[in-house]
């Protein structure tokens, strides 16, 4: 039951990731859930907003805190398509989330075990349950497609500038 429930919310996070892609942002999406209901959503927007903190998770946490009228989000879960970075993980702990569920691992900046695991730091005063790998293939594929498309577009510009033709 939990596995199916997690997949449903991760699908909603994937939908948010498509919103980011549509704006030319790295396609990462997030959903905050409380008592089985979506409270808030978010997607990556740092480029368009000129805000380095405008990650999907932060956008969803801000919206949820505003909707619930509290900077603390006890009993809430956050579903995100990519393993959170250190900034987002810190914000999640400060928000007192009960649970974080992510899709694809992030071998470059992941703070849930890929690079570091902030959630396992015993000295911290709040501990959030973390589950990774939910719809990991779908989440990873979306990111790979996005970056492949960007590389093709960049190569096309180079080819146009140099007069190169490709078969």
């Amino acid at each position: 039951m939990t596995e199916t429930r997690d997949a449903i919310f991760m699908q909603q996070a994937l939908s948010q990731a498509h919103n980011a892609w549509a704006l030319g942002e790295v396609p990462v999406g997030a959903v905050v859930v409380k008592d089985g209901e979506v409270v808030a959503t978010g997607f990556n927007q740092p480029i368009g907003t000129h805000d380095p903190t405008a990650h999907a998770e932060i956008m969803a946490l801000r919206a949820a805190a505003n909707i619930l009228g509290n900077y603390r989000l006890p009993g809430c879960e956050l579903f995100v398509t990519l393993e959170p970075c250190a900034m987002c993980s810190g914000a999640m702990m400060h928000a007192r989330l009960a649970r974080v569920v992510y899709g694809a691992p992030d071998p470059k900046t992941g703070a849930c075990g890929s690079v570091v695991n902030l959630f396992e730091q015993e000295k911290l005063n709040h501990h959030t349950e973390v589950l990774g790998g939910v719809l990991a293939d779908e989440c990873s594929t979306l990111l790979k497609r996005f970056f492949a498309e960007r590389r093709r577009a960049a190569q096309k510009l180079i080819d146009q500038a140099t007069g190169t033709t490709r078969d």
Side-chain angles (χ1 to χ4, degrees), residues 35-48:
D35 300 325
E37 299 290 326
V38 174
V39 173
T41 62
F43 55 88
N44 264 4
Q45 301 178 59
I47 298 166

Side-chain angles (χ1 to χ4, degrees), residues 36-156:
E37 299 290 326
V38 174
V39 173
T41 62
F43 55 88
N44 264 4
Q45 301 178 59
I47 298 166
T49 61
H50 310 289
D51 179 356
T53 69
H55 289 193
E57 303 94 309
I58 300 296
M59 302 306 286
L61 288 172
R62 286 177 182 160
N66 189 46
I67 289 165
L68 296 174
N70 192 348
Y71 74 104
R72 296 268 167 88
L73 303 172
C76 289
E77 302 169 281
L78 187 137
F79 294 79
V80 61
T81 58
L82 182 64
E83 180 181 359
C85 69
M87 174 187 68
C88 293
S89 296
M92 291 171 197
M93 286 185 271
H94 282 287
R96 304 295 195 261
L97 291 179
R99 187 168 179 247
V100 173
V101 179
Y102 69 88
D106 185 347
K108 294 183 179 181
T109 65
C112 297
S114 289
V115 176
V116 297
N117 193 335
L118 294 180
F119 293 96
E120 285 187 351
Q121 297 302 311
E122 291 180 18
K123 290 184 178 183
L124 296 175
N125 67 337
H126 179 74
H127 300 284
T128 301
E129 179 187 337
V130 177
L131 174 66
V134 174
L135 300 185
D137 290 341
E138 292 91 330
C139 295
S140 179
T141 297
L142 181 65
L143 288 161
K144 288 175 184 173
R145 284 182 34 232
F146 173 80
F147 286 113
E149 183 178 291
R150 285 184 61 173
R151 284 190 298 275
R152 279 192 302 276
Q155 187 60 55
K156 185 176 179 181

